[in-house]
Amino acid sequence: MTRTPVNVTVTGAAGQIGYALLFRIASGHLLGADVPVKLRLLEIPQGVKAAEGTAMELDDCAFPLLKGIDIFDDPNQGFEGANVALLVGARPRTKGMERGDLLAANGGIFKPQGKAINDHAADDIKVLVVGNPANTNALIAQAAAPDVPAERFTAMTRLDHNRALSQLAAKTGASVEDIKRLTIWGNHSATQYPDVFHAEIAGKNAAEVVDDQAWLADTFIPTVAKRGAAIIEARGASSAASAANAAIDHVHTWVNGTAEGDWTSMGVPSDGSYGVPEGLISSFPVTTKDGKYEIVQGLEINDFSRARIDASVQELAEERDAVRELGLI
Ligand code: NAD
Ligand code: LMR
């Protein structure tokens, strides 16, 4: 049976994450090895030529699943008929820029993109925001798309989740695939909280296997939370291939489901679970099935975790208040 291609819109297509992402989407890693895709690349006018070069390279790969590539500098066209949208392009923080300036500059990108999604995307649109500040950019886009169910707007914390898996595996000598039920809570920022208290390593409680609260507090949490800055320091540019890999993981899991007995981390609009104010786009433990996700319920939150979740959620609330004051939501 011939399947209808899935339209995947990628913004910031000519950037470094875009370059690491597009070839994997086209080769079937985003949606599945039997799912044809059409790529819609959205750039600003200055990025269009480089996106055309990437499109030439995509052609040169002769990917059997890639059924078309179109390039746009108009969001209304870029999101036309989109089933999946990866919002990667964003305004980076530059020297001397205050947080308010950064939020305002990104509001100028994510508000019109949210409206274009509202007006032009397919009814089943799923949105992943990667561009930073990812959670609040997702909130801005979602607020501009009142006709799209709010839960279709998500923000990426899968890179943090993968970083935490890798650090925990290195500490305990386990394989990453033996680690289940790890959680990133809160914001994709230095306040995020990687939680191992519900995680299991080869069936045993991870916190008990580690048995070292000082390591958790002083090494594990800051290493994961500040990894983005450490990569920028080492590479001279922010993480690209690992960010693209996490974006692939996020959408693949959303569409294809979590494994029995496991969960993942996604930034999703809060329904009030775990005391996170409703509407904030915060990272939670989620299970996914049949293209839908659910926040894992009923976890006991100890005092160590509570204080850290609250601090990150407080930062999200402040970002929300700042964009509200700027009239962006
Ligand atoms: P980059 O500067 O290499 O590329 C960004 C691209 O976006 C550029 O080609 C630019 O022309 C384009 N762009 C800017 N405004 C646009 C708009 N309005 N519409 C369409 N395209 C637009 O940056 P990068 O390294 O690819 O990173 C992209 C974003 O992802 C950054 O905000 C970065 O901080 C963020 N990031 C997030 C995570 C995460 O875990 N959530 C991880 C790594 C990076
Ligand atoms: C990352 O986590 O690697 C990025 O979000 C860092 C950044 O500021 O771009």
Side-chain angles (χ1 to χ4, degrees):
M1 196 179 79
T2 322
R3 290 184 64 158
T4 312
V6 176
N7 291 320
V8 180
T9 298
V10 179
T11 78
Q16 48 154 5
I17 295 177
Y19 194 73
L21 186 57
L22 293 169
F23 296 85
R24 294 192 62 199
I25 299 173
S27 59
H29 290 92
L30 186 78
L31 298 168
D34 56 348
V35 184
V37 291
K38 280 190 176 170
L39 283 170
R40 303 179 75 79
L41 312 186
L42 180 63
E43 260 294 345
I44 49 175
Q46 305 89 295
V48 164
K49 192 153 189 286
E52 285 169 355
T54 306
M56 288 162 70
E57 284 203 72
L58 283 160
D59 280 340
D60 294 350
C61 293
F63 288 121
L65 292 173
L66 183 57
K67 302 302 179 192
I69 314 171
D70 291 293
I71 302 171
F72 305 96
D73 62 10
D74 171 0
N76 292 319
Q77 294 176 332
F79 292 111
E80 184 68 48
N83 306 105
V84 175
L86 304 176
L87 274 47
V88 178
R91 172 77 161 79
R93 190 195 288 261
T94 41
K95 215 169 168 207
M97 211 176 183
E98 298 298 331
R99 193 167 67 166
D101 303 331
L102 183 71
L103 292 170
N106 278 293
I109 295 173
F110 287 87
K111 193 171 174 178
Q113 288 186 357
K115 183 164 186 342
I117 288 169
N118 189 69
D119 296 348
H120 299 281
D123 287 346
D124 66 349
I125 180 72
K126 286 181 166 61
V127 181
L128 167 63
V129 176
V130 174
N132 280 322
N135 301 53
T136 298
N137 287 340
L139 182 67
I140 293 168
Q142 182 246 303
D147 302 334
V148 178
E151 71 270 13
R152 306 282 189 78
F153 284 84
T154 67
M156 191 164 93
T157 53
R158 185 64 171 265
L159 178 54
D160 311 295
H161 184 98
N162 288 344
R163 286 166 171 165
L165 281 177
S166 189
Q167 294 297 322
L168 193 55
K171 167 75 175 171
T172 59
S175 284
V176 282
E177 71 267 27
D178 290 335
I179 305 177
K180 313 271 182 244
R181 303 185 178 206
L182 197 76
T183 306
I184 303 293
W185 299 91
N187 201 359
H188 171 68
S189 76
T191 66
Q192 67 176 265
Y193 171 50
D195 176 1
V196 305
F197 287 99
H198 304 283
E200 288 179 359
I201 304 179
K204 297 197 181 98
N205 179 271
E208 285 168 21
V209 174
V210 170
D211 194 26
D212 185 350
Q213 190 136 324
W215 178 79
L216 285 179
D218 303 334
T219 303
F220 174 72
I221 295 170
T223 300
V224 173
K226 294 180 189 164
R227 187 71 163 184
I231 304 267
I232 292 172
E233 177 66 28
R235 237 172 64 83
S238 72
S239 55
S242 57
N245 178 67
I248 296 274
D249 284 351
H250 176 115
V251 174
H252 189 274
T253 304
W254 188 356
V255 171
N256 294 298
T258 39
E260 189 63 39
D262 200 4
W263 65 61
T264 189
S265 303
M266 285 170 65
V268 303
S270 175
D271 58 359
S273 295
Y274 299 102
V276 180
E278 209 177 321
L280 285 183
I281 298 195
S282 180
S283 189
F284 285 99
V286 299
T287 53
T288 60
K289 199 178 171 200
D290 301 330
K292 295 197 166 75
Y293 62 80
E294 277 181 20
I295 296 174
V296 175
Q297 294 298 326
L299 299 177
E300 246 180 62
I301 306 296
N302 63 21
D303 291 348
F304 182 94
S305 297
R306 186 75 261 168
R308 287 166 172 81
I309 294 171
D310 288 350
S312 196
V313 167
Q314 176 61 29
E315 182 183 52
L316 282 173
E318 285 167 14
E319 289 183 11
R320 177 203 53 201
D321 293 347
V323 295
R324 193 175 274 158
E325 250 173 55
L326 290 163
L328 294 170
I329 60 170

